[in-house]
Amino acid sequence: MDRRSFCKTTLAASMAAAYPLIGGCGQKTATEADTSIRAVSLDGAEIELEKAAIKELGEALSGPVMLSGHPDYDGARQIWNGMHDKRPALIARCLTSEDVSNAVTFARERELLVAVRGGGHSWPGKSVCDDGLMIDLSHMRNVEANAETRRAFAGGGALLGHLDDATLAKGLVTTAGVVSHTGVGGYTLGGGFGRLNRKYGLTIDNLRSAEIITADGQVRTVSEEQDADLFWAIRGGGGNFGVVTQFEYEVHPFDRNVLSGLIVWPIDQAPDVLDFYAGWQEGLSREMYTGPAMLTHPEAGNVIAMEVVYNGDPAQGEKELAPLRAIGSPIDDGVKVQDYKVLQTHEDATVAHGIRSYAKNAMVGEFSQGLVDDMVDSYIADPRAAIFTHTCGGAVSDVGETDTAFPHRNAETMLVFFTGWMDPAQDAEGKQLCRDWHAALEKHSGGYYDNIEQEGDTRVARNFGPNYDRLRQIKSEYDPGNLFRLNSNIEPA
Ligand SMILES: Cc1cc2nc3c(=O)[nH]c(=O)nc-3n(C[C@H](O)[C@H](O)[C@H](O)COP(=O)(O)OP(=O)(O)OC[C@H]3O[C@@H](n4cnc5c(N)ncnc54)[C@H](O)[C@@H]3O)c2cc1C
């Protein structure tokens, strides 16, 4: 792009003011390489990036291009899961779609390995790489919501908390996940499960358009009407098809004071709670979201908990919830009318940035008696391990398995196996705990949700099922050189 014309825009001026490290146009001495640097190509070969080319990229971007030694380099390369400590050759902190386009073109022309960082929550660490280019969207996080048009627009690096805040302030909402520091980018492109999905569907079911920079550097707006194939593919196909710089969501009128909270029982009551839940959940209204979690709590000890959000008249919700509340003897019942954000943020600190973590999941077709028995038998009493559930059904299954790229529409529940610890010496044990718990319940699985899976790479084709061939065709049209490969990779046909 023409750097001089960009510098004239007000947008560039306001960004330079907001991010002083960028300096004024043409003054990015911090990003200049003293010599050429070594990097790695898409297929792992060593390549050299010339000093002049790096300088040119630095001058073309409105955000800084950071090399090791830049004061923001270490902060930018750190992602949520402390297990990943990778050092990109370059980090391009993009502030505009043009920046992203320039960074993509730079990488494609050199066949340079590329990682795209949205919110940085990738469990397997796909948003950072050693010796490649990291396209960092973390400063493209503006979100705007409009009550008249019932639309929200979120930058590709925004977090779910930004989306919730902007929509709730206008009396609106759309499906967003359960931890507010998760990025909208990877989250939406993989599907998007949250506490309102039974009523509004997955986040991709609320996506109306996206601005995406494809491997050729082109900035495209895709929707049902425009590049419909590509729009289909990004609704579940992950970051395979380009860098999304803006998402447009449909949003819904919403009273943020919802009947919500947790009911907690000692773990020895798990058989009763799960037995009841297995039969009861089939008849749940779409307004009701509830599902079990089994964990070891620092104060309460070994427990089974049920999370509740009723997205409707609280009096009606109380009636629907009454049978669950009558099961066993809970040690805590915190379900009351409260701000939706209380639950949307209550796990934020427990799973704060820097935790070392492993995760697997299973999309379960039926919450059967066999599953109940196996959940009870397999319980691991360890403060590092937990099972959570994302309850599906309702609006999630109104959409057919080939209507979007995300195929697992008929699952009743997603079981999430999570382990977290802080001490690197526990890495092997922490991983194994997660694998063991998953293995004990795997026979109930009909596939997995790619966004919460650390071992998906070898099972991509099977997991996309009937959508895989179409995804490969679309990949070969928009990314024939497989530039965007740090994801659950779909190889071009
Ligand atoms: C603590 C925690 C809680 C979670 N809770 C939920 C939940 O409730 N519901 C749910 O559905 N999922 C949940 N997830 C999973 C989450 O959806 C994925 O980790 C998702 O990939 C996070 O997106 P991100 O932008 O933060 O990730 P990143 O690490 O930035 O990226 C993940 C992948 O997406 C790509 N990517 C990211 N942004 C873009 C973009 N703008 N354009 C193109 N590609 C992009 C990256 O290249 C990478 O391949 C959770 C994850 C964590 C760690």
Side-chain angles (χ1 to χ4, degrees), residues 170-181:
K170 301 262 171 85
L172 303 164
V173 82
T174 197
T175 308
V178 304
V179 171
S180 80
H181 45 74

Side-chain angles (χ1 to χ4, degrees), residues 54-73:
I54 298 168
K55 187 162 182 278
E56 203 177 309
L57 178 67
E59 285 173 354
L61 260 62
S62 52
V65 173
M66 299 179 269
L67 314 179
S68 178
H70 185 285
D72 278 2
Y73 173 85

Side-chain angles (χ1 to χ4, degrees), residues 79 81 84 86 113-118 120-130 133-135 239 450 453-458 460 484-489:
I79 59 169
N81 190 346
H84 308 293
K86 294 189 179 158
L113 182 67
V114 178
V116 178
R117 181 206 164 112
H121 262 217
S122 163
W123 251 291
K126 303 280 191 185
S127 37
V128 63
C129 58
D130 276 326
L133 168 69
M134 180 194 228
I135 297 181
D450 192 57
E453 176 60 46
Q454 231 147 320
E455 295 169 16
D457 284 356
T458 55
V460 177
F484 303 110
R485 61 178 63 193
L486 290 184
N487 39 53
S488 280
N489 198 229

